[in-house]
Amino acid sequence: MARAGLTAERLTQAGAELADEVGFDKVTVSALARRFGVKDASLYSHLKNSQDLKTRIALLALAELADRVAAALAGRAGKDALVAFANAYRDYAREHPGRYAAARLRLDPETAAASAGGRHAQMTRAILRGYDLTEPDQTHAVRLLGSVFHGYVSLEMAGGFSHSAPGSEESWSRALDALDALLRNWPAP
């Protein structure tokens, strides 16, 4: 019989909180069971295994991030939309480092297709409509933005920009200015 109060949703939320505290790579069913003061077996009526838990956390993170970015984008276009998207992405990663790592988890194709990951691509493409990019340039730009945002955030979170001036905020702002300029003047093939 399932322990009262434990549900897959509650365990997923607690797993996401644990990921933010100790790192996504350290999230296991055993670690989660310790958090609730129960035996591992108590969780297996709600979760298949640690991979199932990690997949659920990844799906939660993708949905949370998509919701945050969508709210930031509402009513914005052009550079304003680009900056809002980028800042929402960066803020989420800084506030929820474990969940952010979870959002990078490689999902099987069926799970990925049903996830909020598609919303991320749609929102990025919506930003790019303000720059009049057509295919295949739009796909190249989606990949560029994702790479820059993820790369910058990952390096910043690892302390890569804390050793010298100017500060990380100034570099972030300059990077977004450069992306806007590049998108407005996208090179012809």
Side-chain angles (χ1 to χ4, degrees):
M1 179 176 201
R3 184 172 175 91
L6 293 183
T7 64
E9 293 76 23
R10 185 168 178 218
L11 294 171
T12 301
Q13 186 64 43
E17 292 165 7
L18 183 63
D20 288 338
E21 293 167 17
V22 302
F24 183 60
D25 59 327
K26 293 185 175 89
V27 173
T28 63
V29 171
S30 294
L32 194 57
R34 283 191 299 277
R35 186 177 196 96
F36 281 97
V38 299
K39 297 194 182 298
D40 295 11
S42 300
L43 305 188
Y44 286 116
S45 60
H46 306 288
L47 303 167
K48 295 176 191 167
N49 51 37
S50 288
Q51 186 60 39
D52 180 40
L53 173 61
K54 287 186 172 199
T55 298
R56 289 172 182 271
I57 295 168
L59 295 173
L60 172 71
L62 286 167
E64 287 177 343
L65 183 54
D67 290 345
R68 183 176 287 201
V69 169
L73 285 177
R76 300 179 192 273
K79 183 179 180 186
D80 192 33
L82 174 69
V83 170
F85 184 111
N87 286 337
Y89 183 96
R90 182 177 178 223
D91 291 346
Y92 184 83
R94 292 161 118 188
E95 292 167 26
H96 301 289
R99 294 177 211 209
Y100 176 74
R104 314 265 59 84
L105 181 69
R106 185 180 190 124
L107 302 171
D108 66 76
E110 186 177 311
T111 303
S115 77
R119 288 178 55 204
H120 293 270
Q122 290 170 346
M123 288 185 285
T124 307
R125 288 180 185 279
I127 290 169
L128 295 174
R129 283 195 291 273
Y131 292 98
D132 291 327
L133 295 180
T134 58
E135 286 300 343
D137 292 329
Q138 197 175 85
T139 296
H140 297 313
V142 167
R143 292 172 180 166
L144 171 68
L145 293 177
S147 298
V148 170
F149 299 161
H150 175 65
Y152 194 97
V153 165
S154 296
L155 289 168
E156 182 179 44
M157 288 172 47
F161 304 134
S162 62
H163 60 280
S164 63
S168 180
E169 289 300 321
E170 184 179 341
S171 295
W172 176 250
S173 179
R174 297 285 300 270
L176 297 179
D177 289 344
L179 285 171
D180 174 62
L182 173 64
L183 292 170
R184 281 188 281 110
N185 300 295
W186 192 263

